[in-house]
Amino acid sequence: MEIHGDEYRFLGTDAEVGHHHFYRFTPEYAEVALVSEGEDSDYHVDDHWRLDQGDPEHILQEYLYSQAWEETEEVVGHDYRSLSDPEFTAEINSGLGGTFLLDDGSYVVPARLQFGKLPEILDHQTSENDILVDYRPQYIELAPEDSLEKYQLAPALRGDNEVTGTRILDEILILDRGSEQVYQSFQVDELAEDHFVEQLADVESLSLDDAAWFIDEYSNLRTASWALTSDTEFVEQETGYQAEDLFREFGEAGVYRNENSSEAGVLHFPERRAEELSEAKQQKYFDEIKVPQSSDDEEAGEESVGEQAGLSDF
C-alpha cells in the first residue's frame, strides 16, 4: 500500500477496533500506519507512529506480539546492517599517529589530525546518501546509507588552553540512529594501545612487559613522556628505572612526545594526583571535579602541573 509516496506492507488487523496496520522500515525506525476502510470502500489513514528503540525489525516483532489480532502476515525483514567496530592501523598516515578505519575501512580518519579538518576529510569519502553532520565543537556524526547505527566522533584538547591548543579526535561512539542510544564507545588511545606498546619496546631499557605497564598506566606516548619529568617518583618506584635515564632513552628511540608533536595524543593526567590540580584543571582532565579546592589551592594547583621538557632537549 502506498501512503504519501512511501510503500507500506500489511501487518495485521487488530481485533478491538478493526484497524488495518501497515508498516515500513527506515534505518532509524519502523513506522506503523493505522488504516480504516470508509463507507466508500476507500482506505483512510487515521494515525501512525514510529518505533525507534533499536533494530526496526526486532521492535516491530515485539509490537506484533503485544497486540491482539484478527489476522496477521509475517513481517518481511529489511536489508539494513549494523556497523563494525572502529579499528586502528599504524600503516596509514603515520605522520599523524596512524589511522582509524570506520565501517571496515570504508572511511579513513587520520588519528591526530586537527578535529576541525575531519568533516572535510570524511566528506570526500561519503556517498550521496550517507549522512555526515558537523556539530563542532562538540562532535561530528557519520551515518552510512544502509546502516542501523551511526558513528559519533568526539574531540579533546591537546595542549594547555583553547588558544594555543589543538582539538583532536578522542572518542568514537556507535549510536542507534533512531533512539540515539549509545551502544559502544571507544577511546582512541585504547584502540591504538598495542601499537604504543610496540613503539615503547624500542626503548633500550624497557622489556615488552615494561612497555605494556607504561601504556596501561599512562594510555599513550604523550603521557608516558610527560611522566618522565612530571611523575618521576612514581615511575621510579614502580619500574626500578631512573626517570632521567629513561628520558634520554625515549629521545634516542624516537618515542618521546609532547603537545607540540603532530602525532601525539592528549595528556591523561593521573587521577591519583587530582588533589594537586585546580578545579578547572580537574574538569579538563577528568570531565568532573574529583577534589574540591579552596581558592589558594587552585592557584597552587595551576602551578603544580608544570611544563614538560621539549624535544629540543635531545
Side-chain angles (χ1 to χ4, degrees), residues 191-204:
L191 291 171
E193 63 182 9
D194 289 343
H195 177 60
F196 297 151
V197 171
E198 290 177 4
Q199 289 180 289
L200 279 185
D202 291 337
V203 174
E204 181 180 352

Side-chain angles (χ1 to χ4, degrees), residues 276-278 295-305:
E276 303 173 23
L277 301 177
S278 67
S295 57
D296 291 342
D297 291 337
E298 290 224 5
E299 293 179 4
E302 291 289 351
E303 299 175 356
S304 69
V305 178

Side-chain angles (χ1 to χ4, degrees), residues 269-309:
F269 195 87
E271 188 174 325
R272 54 184 159 78
R273 291 178 50 184
E275 63 182 11
E276 303 173 23
L277 301 177
S278 67
E279 291 184 359
K281 288 284 188 180
Q282 291 181 47
Q283 189 70 43
K284 173 189 173 183
Y285 291 123
F286 312 124
D287 293 323
E288 61 179 323
I289 297 173
K290 298 287 185 179
V291 184
Q293 300 281 3
S294 67
S295 57
D296 291 342
D297 291 337
E298 290 224 5
E299 293 179 4
E302 291 289 351
E303 299 175 356
S304 69
V305 178
E307 292 187 2
Q308 181 184 14

Side-chain angles (χ1 to χ4, degrees), residues 156-177:
L157 182 67
R158 176 178 61 195
D160 290 331
N161 58 69
E162 295 282 352
V163 177
T164 61
T166 301
R167 286 190 173 273
I168 58 175
L169 180 62
D170 185 60
E171 187 177 23
I172 303 173
L173 302 93
I174 296 179
L175 287 74
D176 180 68
R177 283 179 65 169

Side-chain angles (χ1 to χ4, degrees), residues 1-4 8 10 12-13 18-22 33-47 71 73:
M1 180 179 184
E2 186 174 300
I3 301 175
H4 302 309
Y8 288 70
F10 178 71
T13 303
H19 274 126
H20 306 300
H21 295 235
F22 291 81
L34 272 63
V35 177
S36 62
E37 187 174 355
E39 294 180 358
D40 54 4
S41 298
D42 288 338
Y43 288 106
H44 304 276
V45 178
D46 298 323
D47 202 356
E71 60 175 322
E73 285 192 6

Side-chain angles (χ1 to χ4, degrees), residues 67-107:
Q67 304 293 319
W69 304 95
E70 288 181 0
E71 60 175 322
T72 61
E73 285 192 6
E74 184 177 348
V75 172
V76 177
H78 57 67
D79 295 325
Y80 304 120
R81 60 187 177 83
S82 292
L83 291 178
S84 60
D85 294 347
E87 298 179 350
F88 173 80
T89 176
E91 305 302 319
I92 307 173
N93 295 311
S94 58
L96 290 169
T99 290
F100 296 104
L101 306 176
L102 306 182
D103 200 19
D104 296 323
S106 297
Y107 311 94

